[in-house]
Amino acid sequence: MTPPFNTPPAHPHPTTVNIRTLRAVVFTTDHRVIGIQYLVLALISVVIGTLLSLLMRIHLVWPNWPLPLHGPILPEDYLALVTIHGTIMLFFVLTTAPQSGFGNLILPAQIGARTMAFPALNAASFWLTAAALVVLLGSTFVPGGAAISGWTAYPPLSAITSAGPGQALGMDLWLTSIALFAIASTASSINTLTTIIRNRCTGMTWERLPLTVWGWFTAALLSIIAFSVLLAAILLLLCDRHAGTSFFLPNGDLVNGILHKGGNGSPLLWLHLFWFFGHPEVYIAILPGMGLTSMLLANFSHRRVFTYRTMIATTLLIGFLGILLWGHHMFVAGLNPFASSAFSISTMAIALPAAAKVLSWLATTWRSRPSYKTPMLFALGFVSLFITGGLTGPILAQPILDEYLHNTFFVVAHFHLIMAMAGVFGLYAATYYWFPLLTATRNHPGRLLSEPLGHLHFWCTLLGAYAVFLPMHLTGLAGEPRHYAQLTGIPGPGGSLSPAGALLSHTLPLNQFITYAAIFLATAQLVFLFNLTHSLRKGKFASSNPWRATTLEWHPTMNPFTLLTASDTPEMSVHRAPCHYQSNKSEVSFLPQWEPIPLAQDEIEDATDTKPE
Amino acid sequence: MICSRLTSACLPSLWIDRAAIHSPWLLPADASAHGPALDHHLLLNLWVALALLTLAHLILLIGLFARRHSEPTRLWRIEYLPLTVLALLFASLTLKAERLWAASRYTGASPTALQVEVTGVQFAWYFRYPGPDATFGITRPSLVAPGEGNPLGLDPSDPHSADDQVTSQLVLPANREVDLRLRAQDVIHGFSIPEMRLKQNAVPGQTIHLHFTPTTPGTYAILCTQLCGLGHYRMNATLLILPPNQFATWLAAKQKAAP
Ligand SMILES: [Cu+2]
Ligand SMILES: [Cu+2]
């Protein structure tokens, strides 16, 4: 009934002609090639971002170490490192890879669609994103240096070109880069939403959508809302910088001896607009990973997802609450204290859908004897990091505690665990899981990443992640602020070692440990890079459904990487929600979404919300 | 006052031990009246987080290692009950946090509080005392001239400005409420005194009031905690808390030295 794996196409393209291949790859509108392009862009970005973070860590504990070809790291260099690291990781890795990379590669197949809704727009989005990355990296080489205002770019620092290093051309390029990214991301999200709404195959009802698709759907909704506000804010800031307006500048602002006379703006307006984008942004980064984790836990535990419908509802609820709580970044920013109370309550509220998700994950794996393949390990790691990072969220949501913890390393630890580390674990799970779909070509089936190397990579990364970020809670509690280029020997007003110098330098031993751990964590990623490059050419060939998955991207005709002509792909239809597994004592059987034969068990399909399997 | 003594008494002694300042593991010493209650609530939150963290990981690990088991489970027991418990737990923590927040921020300082103005400038903090007339003189950005000893741009034509005292060290009496007027001249700065459990951004164009009562005489660090440019990390000052009589002497000497 289904054609054998990788039926060669009837009319193979003429080979050779490098230029044509090149053009085909560069200007392709094939969503799968675009997905790969996004992933390559994210991989380049994550390597750069990681190296920058290592430089920061090294500078913090060995401040006199001269950077090769550069010399000592000056305070403005350190702040440029912070800014570029944050920007590149958040935008070009954590937003790009799950949402645009795997979204393009997997999403259409998962809903039984042939293509994305707008292929040309899709290609344009990618090239805008690539241009944004080039502009961002280019900003580090301009006179005056890269932007040093952190990824939040608070004015007036970012609004006045004479406010210090990095605020002139470097800041203009930074803003341009983010504006380009915002446009690309909005376009890409419109594409995603339209594809999900319009291109689902027969039988793919909303309740049968895999939870990954719900993750992509909610993240795309948030992207459209959040990035358009960010784009508006950036345009206003550019007007303040070059057109003499003062949206964000108060009258009589005196920066570096230059008096700004003008309208009556407020920096707080930027904070509102920026965080209205900035907080949803972290959910954009994590929601696809949450969806994938749900699916992987069910797949490798051979169980249904516990409370499938509730999981859909909590995904949407997290998205909805996610746009109502930006003010928790502003408890000590000059906001009315009553407003802080309101934002505190909306932030606490989001802990409940998040907790419901954790409960579902725990219930899905509870006494399931899962098979510990590498994607499953990374999904379990995601759960662990999500819990650990998530539990400090309610602490920071309380204004009275934020009064002490705000802008300390406690916050850095919190968001790195939940957004960066859990986010990256989601990406690793996706890479190990979907590698056969990434590597299948016309001529051979997909390959698998090496399992032993995958296990080694997982354990080193988990250990490294905790070793780096758990101690940061302690340096934060000890009072160490973020964005400090130096911790030791900070001169006081009189020149002698000040109380500030004493307060900061006593976290040094712990910071040295964190730096060693960070070097270990980064080194462990070489195992992954080796596995990736090695398995790309020499990895084991995968069968057409190596994980016994139930979702449509593993349908035999969806497997080949290169685009099939319409005649090669029979119309697909879906008969049930994903993750239908059945087990008796010895045997586990599974029922893919596309398989029409119902098992006896299948009659009670959606009534199973009441039990874990 | 009694309330804060009570809460600090029930804390583990290590937590508020001044020796803790030498350890990288704990909060720095606490020297403000509202601090012990904040510390207590923070500690409570950390214990709750640690307990939930342990519990969740235990459930995860036991579930992974136990024999496979496929009996149906009742939804209320593993979904609604835990969610209700968590909702109540987080609601009570929020409620307690809100009460503390309201106590320190919903209302301003008492009218008898000591008035001090704090101004953040790239990359220094300036402190201004209003002098015997108890009124701050007018400042104008156009008059700012740090080289001529007028970093805040005090207007000499305003009679209130003549007796204003501008210092680079914040000196306060112990056990008297202070009403800080927080301002910034150029960019956003973060006014933070970790040992007073105090943090508030200074925003250009805004005057933000912050009140607290220091309790223990000593010297403490004032930091900048909002990225404000390349000198952000060295934008610090010293807070000196004096016993009330010594503070009066200091203030009198300062005023006598004034031209
Ligand atoms: Cu500052
Ligand atoms: Cu600063």
Side-chain angles (χ1 to χ4, degrees), chain A residues 358-383:
Chain A
V358 172
L359 288 174
S360 162
W361 295 332
L362 294 180
T364 304
T365 49
W366 178 252
R367 302 192 68 177
S368 66
R369 282 274 144 163
S371 59
Y372 295 104
K373 300 283 194 230
T374 312
M376 177 62 170
L377 290 180
F378 276 100
L380 289 170
F382 181 99
V383 175

Side-chain angles (χ1 to χ4, degrees), chain A residues 346-357:
Chain A
S346 65
T347 309
M348 286 304 236
I350 210 167
L352 291 177
K357 284 208 174 288

Side-chain angles (χ1 to χ4, degrees), chain B residues 120-125 186-190 223-229 231-233 235:
Chain B
V121 182
Q122 283 178 329
F123 300 98
W125 293 108
D186 38 35
V187 302
I188 303 178
H189 298 279
L223 305 173
C224 176
T225 52
Q226 183 62 56
L227 178 51
C228 59
H232 168 57
Y233 72 101
M235 180 168 166

